[in-house]
DNA sequence: TCATGGTTTAACCAAATGGTTAACAAAAGT
DNA sequence: ACTTTTGTTAACCATTTGGTTAAACCATGA
């Protein structure tokens, strides 16, 4: 009795990802997901029981991808400064590929904090946080003394918010006869690496 | 036939603000708003016809408050550098008072971009954008040559994202035995002023 | 006092929506 | 071949939800 290893589940998850990302847990409609997956609505329930469970899977996947970016912080073959630069780059790559991810996570976390807290714990246990790595770097003298939490918040803000608020920035840019998009990406990245160096390079 | 100048409208708007901010246009329930306002559901429709119109009022108010922070940029009695510092401070004050505002605006903008674009136009016409002011400062030699749009994006990111992602940062901070909240606020502000100086002060 | 018109409510309605059921189709096992 | 399990669907159900209606309430002015 071999499981069919069905691709339907994949198809559903893909469709659900798109719809949940755009409309969130409340805004998304099961019918909409079924339509996008090209299947009957009842099949959604066959595979995932109910909306919340389906959402849970999508959310868990997203969170997984999110934390995957932190792996590079563990790479002991690199100096800590390089790891941080690399982390920022991966983060930006990730958000470039999934621009709606950040706002999706934030929306859902703000609506259901308890769920997130529980889920994030397991991920954090597996991955050392940037904060721990920074403090380690300070102790080793590889980077100058800074408030690690604050640096972390600043860095993540610089990387993430442009994607979160892209719809707003696009309008503002247009009003100022400027562009905001791929054209600017290289400058955007550079500005973040500059920020890192400015903040953490030993004097 | 004097209009009662009813406070009911105010009460409804206050309740709607809270509920819409938390749950968004789709997630909010009219019943929930009515309950919070302590009135019958039908009264909502009596005053605001339907959900969208009510939401529209709340959204417009929020946008208004948001753009109000830009007024200081017009203050010709101040050097441009000071105006930018002041702008950042006002922005942070504003978000401290209404922490959910940023995510609310982003959520709704990303869901209904057309509406936002139309609405934002009128506001932008009345207020000079930070970008225009920066370029003016460059021309006058008050600040060094920079990419104004990029600086704007970076600055707004630094100010806003910590509020947007507060639920996430709180969890991360806790896991690292650090605090993230009012205790850190003064350092947070300082880091942003530092960023401004680092980026725009003439060499 | 009572007529008028704005304000408020309880009861109701139609549509949307998450979820279920029962039947059918397709594989897999024997 | 045929039985059992898995996959899929159309039709249906119960609840939720935005919105309506008709009646009641209440202040005000004649």
């Amino acid at each position: 009795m071999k499981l069919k290893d069905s691709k339907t589940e994949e198809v559903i998850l893909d469709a659900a990802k798109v719809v949940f990302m755009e409309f969130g847990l409340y805004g998304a409609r099961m019918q909409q997901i079924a339509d996008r997956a090209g299947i009957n609505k009842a099949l959604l329930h066959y595979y995932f029981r109910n909306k919340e469970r389906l959402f849970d899977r999508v959310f868990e996947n997203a969170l997984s991808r999110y934390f995957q970016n932190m792996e590079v912080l563990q790479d002991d073959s690199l100096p800590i400064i390089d790891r941080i630069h690399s982390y920022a780059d991966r983060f930006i790559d990730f958000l470039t590929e999934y621009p709606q991810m950040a706002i999706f996570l934030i929306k859902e976390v703000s609506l259901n904090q308890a769920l997130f807290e529980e889920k994030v714990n397991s991920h954090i246990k597996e991955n050392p946080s940037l904060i721990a790595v920074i403090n380690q770097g300070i102790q080793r003298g590889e980077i100058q003394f800074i408030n690690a939490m604050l640096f972390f918040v600043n860095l993540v803000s610089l990387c993430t918010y442009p994607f979160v608020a892209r719809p707003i920035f696009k309008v503002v840019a247009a009003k100022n006869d400027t562009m905001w998009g791929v054209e600017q990406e290289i400058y955007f990245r550079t500005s973040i690496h500059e920020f890192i160096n400015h903040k953490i390079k030993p004097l």
Side-chain angles (χ1 to χ4, degrees), chain A:
Chain A
M1 82 162 98
K2 190 184 71 182
L3 278 243
K4 204 183 153 192
D5 187 13
S6 123
K7 65 165 195 171
T8 307
E9 198 168 321
E10 285 278 326
V11 172
I12 293 176
L13 278 175
D14 279 351
K17 186 176 87 180
V18 174
V19 176
F20 277 134
M21 288 246 190
E22 184 158 1
F23 298 99
L25 172 56
Y26 290 135
R29 301 290 159 230
M30 293 297 266
Q31 187 60 57
Q32 203 180 356
I33 295 171
D35 288 349
R36 181 167 208 101
I39 53 153
N40 188 285
K41 194 179 55 153
L43 210 51
L44 295 181
H45 294 87
Y46 177 74
Y47 277 98
F48 298 96
R49 285 227 1 207
N50 58 38
K51 193 183 186 182
E52 280 198 9
R53 281 195 181 218
L54 176 54
F55 177 81
D56 212 58
R57 284 286 294 274
V58 172
F59 186 75
E60 181 57 49
N61 285 348
L63 213 56
S64 228
R65 288 290 315 237
Y66 187 87
F67 275 94
Q68 214 171 302
N69 298 311
M70 303 191 103
E71 279 169 10
V72 68
L73 291 171
Q74 288 175 301
D75 183 351
D76 288 331
S77 72
L78 289 175
I80 285 181
I81 290 192
D82 292 1
R83 287 188 228 169
I84 293 173
H85 281 288
S86 194
Y87 167 70
D89 267 328
R90 277 171 180 252
F91 211 67
I92 295 170
D93 291 341
F94 168 69
L95 290 166
T96 304
E97 196 177 345
Y98 302 94
Q100 301 143 306
M101 188 74 85
I103 188 167
F104 168 75
L105 287 174
I106 291 162
K107 273 200 294 199
E108 301 309 326
V109 167
S110 78
L111 282 176
N112 196 343
Q113 208 139 344
L115 171 72
F116 175 74
E117 209 151 334
E118 169 201 317
K119 286 199 170 289
V120 95
N121 278 348
S122 55
H123 284 285
I124 280 192
K125 265 173 202 143
E126 293 165 22
N127 299 284
S129 76
L130 176 57
I131 293 169
V133 173
I134 292 168
N135 284 327
Q136 196 186 353
I138 293 173
Q139 278 176 357
R140 287 200 209 159
E142 286 186 43
I143 65 182
Q144 66 172 282
F145 180 80
I146 52 170
N147 180 328
M149 181 66 198
L150 190 54
F151 173 75
F152 168 73
V153 169
N154 284 342
L155 178 59
V156 173
S157 297
L158 285 174
C159 292
T160 316
Y161 195 66
F163 293 93
V164 171
R166 194 164 55 169
I168 291 176
F169 284 142
K170 251 167 56 187
V171 175
V172 173
K175 292 290 154 239
N176 288 276
D177 301 313
T178 314
M179 282 296 133
W180 184 245
V182 280
E183 314 82 19
Q184 295 271 334
E185 208 206 304
I186 181 66
Y187 302 112
F188 169 59
R189 285 184 122 95
T190 305
S191 76
I192 287 174
H193 290 300
E194 246 175 48
F195 175 82
I196 295 174
N197 284 330
H198 171 64
K199 282 287 181 189
I200 70 176
K201 263 206 175 158
L203 299 175

Short mmCIF file of all heavy atoms in Angstrom, two decimals, chain A residues 17-18 21 65 68-69 89-102 163 166 182 185 189:
data_model
loop_
_atom_site.label_atom_id
_atom_site.label_comp_id
_atom_site.label_asym_id
_atom_site.label_seq_id
_atom_site.Cartn_x
_atom_site.Cartn_y
_atom_site.Cartn_z
N LYS A 17 -0.20 29.09 -0.78
CA LYS A 17 0.87 30.05 -0.48
C LYS A 17 0.56 31.40 -1.12
O LYS A 17 0.57 32.43 -0.44
CB LYS A 17 2.22 29.52 -0.98
CG LYS A 17 3.38 30.38 -0.58
CD LYS A 17 4.71 29.77 -1.02
CE LYS A 17 5.07 30.17 -2.44
NZ LYS A 17 6.33 29.61 -2.91
N VAL A 18 0.28 31.34 -2.39
CA VAL A 18 0.02 32.59 -3.12
C VAL A 18 -1.17 33.34 -2.52
O VAL A 18 -1.09 34.54 -2.24
CB VAL A 18 -0.24 32.30 -4.61
CG1 VAL A 18 -0.66 33.56 -5.33
CG2 VAL A 18 0.99 31.69 -5.26
N MET A 21 -0.59 34.52 1.14
CA MET A 21 0.38 35.63 1.16
C MET A 21 -0.29 36.94 0.82
O MET A 21 0.02 37.97 1.38
CB MET A 21 1.50 35.36 0.15
CG MET A 21 2.42 34.28 0.60
SD MET A 21 4.05 34.91 0.94
CE MET A 21 4.91 33.37 1.12
N ARG A 65 11.81 28.94 5.57
CA ARG A 65 12.61 29.65 4.59
C ARG A 65 13.26 30.88 5.22
O ARG A 65 14.41 31.22 4.95
CB ARG A 65 11.74 30.13 3.41
CG ARG A 65 11.28 29.03 2.49
CD ARG A 65 12.46 28.47 1.68
NE ARG A 65 13.31 29.50 1.14
CZ ARG A 65 13.61 29.65 -0.14
NH1 ARG A 65 13.09 28.84 -1.01
NH2 ARG A 65 14.43 30.60 -0.53
N GLN A 68 16.12 29.91 7.34
CA GLN A 68 17.18 29.29 6.57
C GLN A 68 18.30 30.30 6.27
O GLN A 68 19.46 29.91 6.13
CB GLN A 68 16.57 28.80 5.26
CG GLN A 68 17.17 27.53 4.72
CD GLN A 68 16.32 27.04 3.56
OE1 GLN A 68 15.13 26.79 3.69
NE2 GLN A 68 16.95 26.92 2.40
N ASN A 69 17.92 31.57 6.16
CA ASN A 69 18.91 32.59 5.83
C ASN A 69 19.96 32.76 6.92
O ASN A 69 20.99 33.37 6.70
CB ASN A 69 18.21 33.94 5.62
CG ASN A 69 17.24 33.90 4.48
OD1 ASN A 69 17.57 33.44 3.39
ND2 ASN A 69 16.03 34.38 4.70
N ASP A 89 23.15 39.84 2.61
CA ASP A 89 22.93 39.53 1.19
C ASP A 89 21.91 38.43 0.99
O ASP A 89 21.03 38.53 0.14
CB ASP A 89 24.27 39.12 0.54
CG ASP A 89 24.96 40.32 -0.07
OD1 ASP A 89 24.25 41.23 -0.55
OD2 ASP A 89 26.21 40.34 -0.07
N ARG A 90 22.02 37.40 1.78
CA ARG A 90 21.05 36.30 1.66
C ARG A 90 19.65 36.77 1.98
O ARG A 90 18.68 36.38 1.35
CB ARG A 90 21.42 35.17 2.63
CG ARG A 90 22.47 34.27 2.08
CD ARG A 90 22.94 33.32 3.14
NE ARG A 90 23.96 32.44 2.59
CZ ARG A 90 23.74 31.15 2.33
NH1 ARG A 90 22.58 30.59 2.60
NH2 ARG A 90 24.70 30.42 1.82
N PHE A 91 19.59 37.59 2.96
CA PHE A 91 18.30 38.13 3.37
C PHE A 91 17.65 38.90 2.23
O PHE A 91 16.47 38.73 1.93
CB PHE A 91 18.53 39.04 4.57
CG PHE A 91 17.39 39.07 5.52
CD1 PHE A 91 17.06 37.95 6.24
CD2 PHE A 91 16.65 40.22 5.68
CE1 PHE A 91 15.99 37.97 7.11
CE2 PHE A 91 15.59 40.25 6.55
CZ PHE A 91 15.25 39.13 7.26
N ILE A 92 18.45 39.73 1.57
CA ILE A 92 17.92 40.51 0.47
C ILE A 92 17.57 39.61 -0.72
O ILE A 92 16.54 39.80 -1.36
CB ILE A 92 18.94 41.60 0.06
CG1 ILE A 92 19.12 42.59 1.21
CG2 ILE A 92 18.47 42.33 -1.19
CD1 ILE A 92 20.26 43.55 1.02
N ASP A 93 18.42 38.63 -0.98
CA ASP A 93 18.08 37.67 -2.04
C ASP A 93 16.73 37.03 -1.77
O ASP A 93 15.87 36.94 -2.65
CB ASP A 93 19.14 36.54 -2.10
CG ASP A 93 20.47 37.04 -2.61
OD1 ASP A 93 20.50 38.11 -3.24
OD2 ASP A 93 21.48 36.35 -2.39
N PHE A 94 16.59 36.59 -0.55
CA PHE A 94 15.37 35.91 -0.15
C PHE A 94 14.14 36.80 -0.35
O PHE A 94 13.14 36.38 -0.95
CB PHE A 94 15.51 35.52 1.33
CG PHE A 94 14.25 35.06 1.98
CD1 PHE A 94 13.67 33.85 1.62
CD2 PHE A 94 13.66 35.84 2.95
CE1 PHE A 94 12.50 33.44 2.24
CE2 PHE A 94 12.49 35.42 3.56
CZ PHE A 94 11.92 34.22 3.20
N LEU A 95 14.24 38.02 0.09
CA LEU A 95 13.09 38.92 -0.04
C LEU A 95 12.85 39.33 -1.49
O LEU A 95 11.71 39.63 -1.87
CB LEU A 95 13.30 40.16 0.83
CG LEU A 95 13.23 39.87 2.33
CD1 LEU A 95 13.77 41.04 3.13
CD2 LEU A 95 11.78 39.59 2.73
N THR A 96 13.91 39.34 -2.27
CA THR A 96 13.72 39.62 -3.69
C THR A 96 12.91 38.50 -4.34
O THR A 96 12.06 38.75 -5.20
CB THR A 96 15.09 39.74 -4.39
OG1 THR A 96 15.86 40.74 -3.72
CG2 THR A 96 14.91 40.12 -5.86
N GLU A 97 13.19 37.29 -3.89
CA GLU A 97 12.47 36.14 -4.46
C GLU A 97 11.04 36.06 -3.94
O GLU A 97 10.13 35.71 -4.67
CB GLU A 97 13.23 34.85 -4.12
CG GLU A 97 12.78 33.67 -4.97
CD GLU A 97 13.60 32.42 -4.65
OE1 GLU A 97 14.67 32.56 -4.01
OE2 GLU A 97 13.16 31.32 -5.03
N TYR A 98 10.87 36.36 -2.68
CA TYR A 98 9.52 36.31 -2.08
C TYR A 98 9.18 37.66 -1.45
O TYR A 98 9.20 37.80 -0.22
CB TYR A 98 9.45 35.23 -1.01
CG TYR A 98 9.79 33.85 -1.50
CD1 TYR A 98 11.08 33.35 -1.40
CD2 TYR A 98 8.81 33.05 -2.07
CE1 TYR A 98 11.40 32.07 -1.86
CE2 TYR A 98 9.12 31.79 -2.52
CZ TYR A 98 10.40 31.30 -2.41
OH TYR A 98 10.70 30.05 -2.86
N PRO A 99 8.84 38.64 -2.28
CA PRO A 99 8.67 40.00 -1.75
C PRO A 99 7.54 40.12 -0.74
O PRO A 99 7.56 40.99 0.12
CB PRO A 99 8.37 40.82 -2.99
CG PRO A 99 8.69 39.96 -4.16
CD PRO A 99 8.54 38.55 -3.70
N GLN A 100 6.55 39.23 -0.84
CA GLN A 100 5.42 39.37 0.08
C GLN A 100 5.64 38.66 1.40
O GLN A 100 4.84 38.77 2.32
CB GLN A 100 4.16 38.80 -0.57
CG GLN A 100 3.79 39.45 -1.87
CD GLN A 100 3.23 38.40 -2.82
OE1 GLN A 100 3.88 37.38 -3.08
NE2 GLN A 100 2.03 38.61 -3.31
N MET A 101 6.76 37.93 1.47
CA MET A 101 6.97 37.10 2.65
C MET A 101 6.99 37.92 3.94
O MET A 101 6.34 37.56 4.93
CB MET A 101 8.28 36.34 2.50
CG MET A 101 8.52 35.33 3.57
SD MET A 101 7.48 33.88 3.37
CE MET A 101 8.46 32.91 2.23
N ALA A 102 7.74 38.99 3.93
CA ALA A 102 7.91 39.74 5.17
C ALA A 102 6.59 40.27 5.69
O ALA A 102 6.25 40.09 6.86
CB ALA A 102 8.89 40.89 4.95
N PHE A 163 11.03 46.19 1.21
CA PHE A 163 10.15 45.22 0.58
C PHE A 163 8.75 45.29 1.17
O PHE A 163 7.76 45.20 0.46
CB PHE A 163 10.71 43.81 0.74
CG PHE A 163 11.99 43.60 -0.02
CD1 PHE A 163 13.21 43.80 0.60
CD2 PHE A 163 11.96 43.24 -1.35
CE1 PHE A 163 14.40 43.63 -0.09
CE2 PHE A 163 13.14 43.07 -2.06
CZ PHE A 163 14.37 43.26 -1.43
N ARG A 166 7.09 48.43 -0.14
CA ARG A 166 7.34 48.71 -1.55
C ARG A 166 6.18 49.44 -2.23
O ARG A 166 6.40 50.38 -2.99
CB ARG A 166 7.66 47.42 -2.30
CG ARG A 166 8.26 47.70 -3.67
CD ARG A 166 8.92 46.49 -4.25
NE ARG A 166 8.04 45.34 -4.33
CZ ARG A 166 8.33 44.23 -4.99
NH1 ARG A 166 9.48 44.11 -5.61
NH2 ARG A 166 7.49 43.22 -5.00
N VAL A 182 14.29 47.40 -9.33
CA VAL A 182 15.53 46.70 -9.66
C VAL A 182 16.67 47.66 -9.99
O VAL A 182 17.82 47.40 -9.66
CB VAL A 182 15.30 45.73 -10.85
CG1 VAL A 182 14.67 44.47 -10.34
CG2 VAL A 182 14.49 46.37 -11.93
N GLU A 185 18.64 48.46 -7.06
CA GLU A 185 18.98 47.40 -6.14
C GLU A 185 20.45 47.40 -5.75
O GLU A 185 20.78 47.21 -4.58
CB GLU A 185 18.61 46.04 -6.74
CG GLU A 185 18.29 45.03 -5.68
CD GLU A 185 18.52 43.61 -6.15
OE1 GLU A 185 17.95 43.22 -7.16
OE2 GLU A 185 19.30 42.91 -5.46
N ARG A 189 21.79 47.62 -1.92
CA ARG A 189 22.68 46.66 -1.26
C ARG A 189 23.93 47.34 -0.72
O ARG A 189 24.33 47.11 0.42
CB ARG A 189 23.11 45.58 -2.26
CG ARG A 189 22.05 44.56 -2.58
CD ARG A 189 22.63 43.49 -3.50
NE ARG A 189 22.52 42.18 -2.91
CZ ARG A 189 21.51 41.34 -3.16
NH1 ARG A 189 20.54 41.67 -3.97
NH2 ARG A 189 21.48 40.15 -2.59
#
